Amino acid sequence: MARRVLRLGIDMDGVIVDFNAEWVRLHREEFDSDLHPEMVQSWDGLHTLAGFADMAAFWTWAEGGTDRPSIFRHMEPFPGAVDTLRALAAEGHELHIVTAKPPWAVPDTLRWLADHDLPLKAVHFVEDKYTVPCDIYLDDAPHVLEALAAHRAPKSLVCRMIRPWNRAIDGVGDVADWSEFHDAVTKWSSSRTSGERPVP
C-alpha cells in the first residue's frame, strides 16, 4: 500500500532523551544524593524531589556554568529513539524537533542534535507547540498534549509517550516506546493515502 510522506513534530526531553536520568545523575554527583529517575512521578515537582526552593532554583542549577555544561548537553537517548528517527527519515518523513527550552539551553540542545547527526528538517524552540503545523506530534508533557488535542486533533494525530507524569487524554493516541510510535506513523501514513481516518 502506498504511504503518504508526513511531517512529524517530535519533542525532546522525556521523549527522545532521558532528561530525568541526566539531572538525577548530576544531582547524585554534586550533592551525593540517593535519587533515582524512577522517583520522578509528577510533571512540575522536580524541585521538591531535588531539594530546591522552587523550579526557578532547579533551573538555575540545571543551567550549569564554567565548571560544567547544562543538563541538556550530554543526555542519553531513550532506547530506539535515534534509530527510529533515522528510519522514519529514510522512509521519506520530515522530522521536526518541537521543543520548549529556556534560552540558555538552546546552544547545548543544538550541540546534542549535531553530535547525534539526526536527519532533521527543522528545529523549533517554541512554548505553544500547536503553532507548528505537523501531521503527527509526539510529546510527554500533560499541558502540551492537552493543547495539541484541542488545536490539532483529529486532523493531526497526537501521540502521548506514556510516562508516569502524564495520563490518557481523549483524542490522543498512546505509545509505550519508539517501536509503537513507528507503527503509529506507518498506520497513519497508509490510511491518509487511502482516504481513511484511523482511530488514535
Side-chain angles (χ1 to χ4, degrees):
M1 179 181 292
R3 296 177 181 176
R4 176 186 167 198
V5 173
L6 301 175
R7 180 178 168 120
L8 310 179
I10 313 295
D11 179 39
M12 282 196 69
D13 306 319
V15 174
I16 296 176
V17 292
D18 197 338
F19 172 81
N20 289 319
E22 179 61 9
W23 81 257
V24 165
R25 181 188 69 81
L26 289 174
H27 196 277
R28 289 169 64 95
E29 288 183 0
E30 296 179 14
F31 298 106
D32 195 29
S33 64
D34 192 30
L35 299 182
H36 300 277
E38 296 77 14
M39 297 169 72
V40 180
Q41 297 291 315
S42 63
W43 170 251
D44 209 23
L46 303 183
H47 63 289
T48 301
L49 185 61
F52 294 104
D54 50 33
M55 282 302 295
F58 175 89
W59 288 119
T60 297
W61 167 73
E63 183 176 357
T66 57
D67 57 331
R68 68 161 170 84
S70 77
I71 61 173
F72 296 104
R73 182 64 182 92
H74 296 297
M75 291 187 288
E76 290 295 321
F78 281 106
V82 171
D83 287 344
T84 301
L85 289 170
R86 289 175 177 159
L88 289 168
E91 293 167 13
H93 300 300
E94 292 186 2
L95 303 183
H96 291 253
I97 297 297
V98 186
T99 182
K101 303 276 191 183
W104 53 259
V106 172
D108 276 349
T109 299
L110 293 175
R111 292 183 185 104
W112 189 96
L113 291 169
D115 285 347
H116 290 79
D117 197 25
L118 294 176
L120 304 176
K121 184 71 173 180
V123 181
H124 308 265
F125 294 99
V126 59
E127 290 292 332
D128 295 326
K129 297 183 182 182
Y130 64 84
T131 62
V132 181
C134 294
D135 298 297
I136 299 180
Y137 298 88
L138 178 63
D139 214 290
D140 68 311
H143 66 287
V144 171
L145 292 166
E146 290 173 356
L148 289 172
H151 292 275
R152 290 295 178 179
K155 185 177 180 180
S156 298
L157 175 63
V158 179
C159 292
R160 170 178 75 116
M161 185 64 83
I162 298 172
R163 302 294 186 219
W165 49 87
N166 59 34
R167 59 176 177 75
I169 298 172
D170 289 342
V172 174
D174 288 349
V175 294
D177 54 32
W178 279 92
S179 177
E180 288 192 9
F181 180 67
H182 197 169
D183 290 344
V185 173
T186 300
K187 179 181 178 182
W188 188 265
S189 177
S190 298
S191 61
R192 296 286 91 176
T193 300
S194 67
E196 300 173 2
R197 192 177 84 180
V199 177

